[in-house]
């Protein structure tokens, strides 16, 4: 199953950063993402909890809390990851009587950990500003 929360979160923050003086509602953002406003509200809630977005009671819309150059893609990724959700997961119950099945989990756990760290290092090196630059320059 594909998970697009991260991409939608970057979209929300890019749109909000690009329009800082506008009160962007979940309906407006949902139209840009081409999804349901409920999806936007759920992901925006995670971004608020992480301190990347803010809103005020009685005032429609959200605002980014930091400069786009101070928000790494890793910050966004971590904000929308579900608890205990791994990017790479092992299939369950490989056959212990098989030479591959007996050892595959330990081998792949190591490979998956290295891949996860490499991905997180790359996301840490890129910012929301980099995304905005690529979108508009």
């Amino acid at each position: 199953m594909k998970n697009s929360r991260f991409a939608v979160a970057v979209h929300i923050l890019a749109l909000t950063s690009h329009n800082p003086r506008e009160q962007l509602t979940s309906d407006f953002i949902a139209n840009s993402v081409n999804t349901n406003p409920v999806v936007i509200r759920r992901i925006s809630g995670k971004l608020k909890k992480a301190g990347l977005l803010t809103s005020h009671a009685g005032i429609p819309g959200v605002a980014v809390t930091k400069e786009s150059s101070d928000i790494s893609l890793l910050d966004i990724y971590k904000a929308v990851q579900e608890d205990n959700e791994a990017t790479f997961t092992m299939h369950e119950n490989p056959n212990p009587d098989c030479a591959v099945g007996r050892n595959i989990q330990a081998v792949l756990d190591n490979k998956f950990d290295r891949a996860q760290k490499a991905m997180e290092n790359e996301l840490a090196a890129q910012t929301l500003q980099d995304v905005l630059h690529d979108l508009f320059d």
Side-chain angles (χ1 to χ4, degrees):
M1 177 202 297
K2 293 183 182 180
N3 180 333
S4 62
R5 278 190 315 270
F6 175 54
V8 171
V10 173
H11 191 138
I12 291 168
L13 289 167
L15 187 62
T16 306
S17 291
H18 184 64
N19 299 285
R21 290 181 172 68
E22 295 181 34
Q23 298 295 326
L24 302 182
T25 65
S26 56
D27 288 333
F28 181 89
I29 297 168
N31 187 54
S32 178
V33 175
N34 199 22
T35 192
N36 190 297
V38 172
V39 172
I40 300 304
R41 286 191 286 274
R42 282 187 192 132
I43 294 173
S44 293
K46 290 178 179 295
L47 295 171
K48 288 177 195 174
K49 186 176 179 182
L52 301 176
L53 276 182
T54 189
S55 63
H56 301 287
I59 301 172
V62 293
V64 178
T65 60
K66 302 177 183 180
E67 294 295 321
S68 57
S69 59
D70 294 331
I71 300 173
S72 75
L73 294 184
L74 182 60
D75 295 332
I76 302 167
Y77 175 78
K78 286 185 173 185
V80 299
Q81 280 296 100
E82 297 291 330
D83 292 335
N84 301 322
E85 179 182 37
T87 303
F88 307 103
T89 58
M90 185 63 199
H91 60 284
E92 295 192 22
N93 304 318
N95 185 348
D97 295 329
C98 171
V100 172
R102 178 174 42 252
N103 298 306
I104 193 73
Q105 190 159 7
V107 170
L108 288 182
D109 280 347
N110 181 32
K111 304 288 184 198
F112 291 170
D113 285 346
R114 289 177 55 208
Q116 181 76 30
K117 285 180 178 115
M119 180 193 71
E120 288 183 8
N121 287 338
E122 183 62 27
L123 292 176
Q126 298 183 48
T127 66
L128 182 59
Q129 181 59 44
D130 296 328
V131 172
L132 292 168
H133 179 269
D134 290 347
L135 283 169
F136 299 109
D137 287 339

